[in-house]
Amino acid sequence: RTMAEGNICAKLANPARPVFFLGDVPPGEGTPPGRCQDICNKFTARSRALANDGFVVYDIQDEPGRSDIDRPFPFRRVMDSSAYAALLSRSSGKQSVVYKCVADPDFEGWLDRAASEHGHTAINLVGRATSGGEYQGPTIAQAMDIVACRGDKVRFGCVCIAERHTMEAAEARGKSYPTEHANMLRKQLSGAKWFISQAVYDAEPTIRLLRDYAALCRERGVTPRKVVLTFAPVSRKKTMNFIKWLGVRVPPEAEEKILSAERPVDSSVEFLCGVLRTILSECSGVGVPLGISCESVSIYKAEIDGVHELFRRLQGILLDSRGTPWKVHWVEVISTKGEEAEETPDETSRTEKNQVVVHRSNQNEFALLRAGLTGVVLGGALVASGVVL
């Protein structure tokens, strides 16, 4: 199958194929429309050479209650996630998973605009930053009900946070065992079609979460939803501090190894590849389908470049783990004369000029290849015999 087959919700719902996303943050609030389009075009042009299924567009909110420590990067308001995702779709021909924080008094109005005006079908709901404080808008449970009532027009997923699924987190909440797997199942039963993790730097909590979620699903007789694991490279101390401020658990030895390297971004890419390999090895056979999303949490060039290298490597690791042949296939979807290229069963037309897609080979392909080679050899032999006679 090609990466272009089916819409984004179908790809997320299909347990037989992984998904691969690139994360992006909208430009700052008040950015002129022309400049927004330029930023969008630059992002899609760089991502065109990557075999991705689409994008994850984040909804950035001020979160003063998230941590006792100061925010490493100052908060700046950004343009609406739905509006920016619409720009990405028009520029790339690909859909986005659009993040939306439910703490919005106009949540239902936003949802209507996202679906009807911007054409989005995949919304990722994010709860309030903390359980304390006063917030406007629906709770996460109410928001799930609101989206579920829209039927097939728009579907939703939720975040999953492995850092909540540690014994330390459970003890802090007065629990005898972590409960994030139960939270995931509860959201699934309320209509969540997928889950997206926050950035992963420690394999152990993610392994525990995936195993426990799979076991609980088997116990309840339901099929696990796909879990998209998020990865973000770092190249400097300030970005690492921001990653930790976001709540990501970074082992001290990993932080030291990355930041002391001659090229920290390369070290972080290598480290995160090892994290994914460990997760895949320890969770092999549990029955939770996986996907990958890569993002940069800063606008630092080295980290943006690192995202692309990380994406390619993680994609190869995840596809290799499936044990079936695969290849990266380059497709020209618009001819040099400006006409659409002929579409084949393995090449689905898009609006971009050039696309790279991941294509899974199958046994029929190899059978056809063997048959074709046999025909060539046999035909050549017969021609040779005719000449001799």
Side-chain angles (χ1 to χ4, degrees), residues 16 82 84 90 111 150-151 179 198 207 238 268:
S82 178
Y84 182 64
R90 287 194 291 269
L111 184 62
R150 299 301 197 276
T179 59
Q198 69 175 13
I207 292 167
K238 190 173 184 179
S268 73

Side-chain angles (χ1 to χ4, degrees), residues 94-384:
K94 298 178 182 179
Q95 296 174 300
S96 296
V97 178
V98 184
Y99 266 59
K100 178 58 181 175
C101 178
V102 302
D104 181 353
D106 188 36
F107 177 79
E108 292 194 57
W110 180 92
L111 184 62
D112 290 336
R113 290 190 296 274
S116 61
E117 295 181 19
H118 298 149
H120 300 308
T121 59
I123 309 298
N124 212 65
L125 298 178
V126 183
R128 301 160 176 177
T130 63
S131 57
E134 294 184 3
Y135 293 91
Q136 295 181 312
T139 64
I140 189 71
Q142 292 168 338
M144 289 191 292
D145 288 341
I146 291 169
V147 183
C149 288
R150 299 301 197 276
D152 291 338
K153 292 182 179 180
V154 59
R155 298 187 178 182
F156 73 91
C158 294
V159 298
C160 61
I161 301 178
E163 280 77 3
R164 292 176 182 165
H165 206 67
T166 63
M167 294 307 298
E168 297 90 338
E171 291 171 2
R173 296 184 177 205
K175 305 286 186 180
S176 60
Y177 194 80
T179 59
E180 183 68 357
H181 64 313
N183 291 336
M184 292 173 67
L185 182 59
R186 173 177 55 81
K187 292 173 182 178
Q188 177 178 338
L189 296 177
S190 294
K193 303 299 183 183
W194 65 84
F195 295 96
I196 301 180
S197 80
Q198 69 175 13
V200 179
Y201 262 84
D202 189 354
E204 183 181 348
T206 299
I207 292 167
R208 183 197 292 268
L209 178 58
L210 293 175
R211 285 177 169 177
D212 287 348
Y213 172 56
L216 185 58
C217 286
R218 285 195 298 271
E219 180 184 317
R220 300 291 181 87
V222 298
T223 302
R225 299 300 193 203
K226 186 172 292 176
V227 176
V228 180
L229 302 176
T230 301
F231 296 89
V234 300
S235 66
R236 51 183 180 159
K237 179 68 173 177
K238 190 173 184 179
T239 306
M240 181 65 81
N241 288 341
F242 185 57
I243 287 277
K244 294 189 293 183
W245 182 87
L246 290 171
V248 177
R249 177 170 166 168
V250 182
E253 62 275 14
E255 180 178 357
E256 171 63 25
K257 181 178 180 180
I258 291 170
L259 295 180
S260 64
E262 182 176 351
R263 284 184 51 83
V265 68
D266 293 344
S267 181
S268 73
V269 167
E270 191 66 39
F271 175 78
L272 293 174
C273 288
V275 168
L276 179 60
R277 290 190 187 97
T278 300
I279 292 171
L280 294 174
S281 174
E282 295 297 320
C283 295
S284 176
V286 302
V288 179
L290 298 176
I292 296 293
S293 179
C294 293
E295 61 165 332
S296 172
V297 299
S298 80
I299 59 174
Y300 198 56
K301 185 179 184 301
E303 289 163 356
I304 294 173
D305 292 342
V307 167
H308 288 237
E309 176 64 17
L310 180 63
F311 180 94
R312 283 187 285 264
R313 293 188 60 181
L314 294 182
Q315 184 175 63
I317 291 168
L318 180 53
L319 290 173
D320 283 343
S321 73
R322 294 162 59 80
T324 57
W326 64 276
K327 66 181 179 181
V328 172
H329 187 58
W330 183 89
V331 179
E332 185 174 51
V333 295
I334 301 177
S335 71
T336 55
K337 295 180 180 181
E339 300 175 352
E340 289 191 6
E342 182 178 353
E343 186 176 304
T344 71
D346 290 325
E347 299 175 358
T348 303
S349 177
R350 301 203 192 165
T351 59
E352 295 181 11
K353 182 172 182 179
N354 299 322
Q355 286 290 339
V356 180
V357 298
V358 165
H359 172 70
R360 284 184 57 210
S361 301
N362 55 43
Q363 296 303 316
N364 291 334
E365 264 192 83
F366 292 118
L368 289 171
L369 179 60
R370 287 195 297 269
L373 290 173
T374 301
V376 171
V377 173
L378 181 57
L382 290 174
V383 170

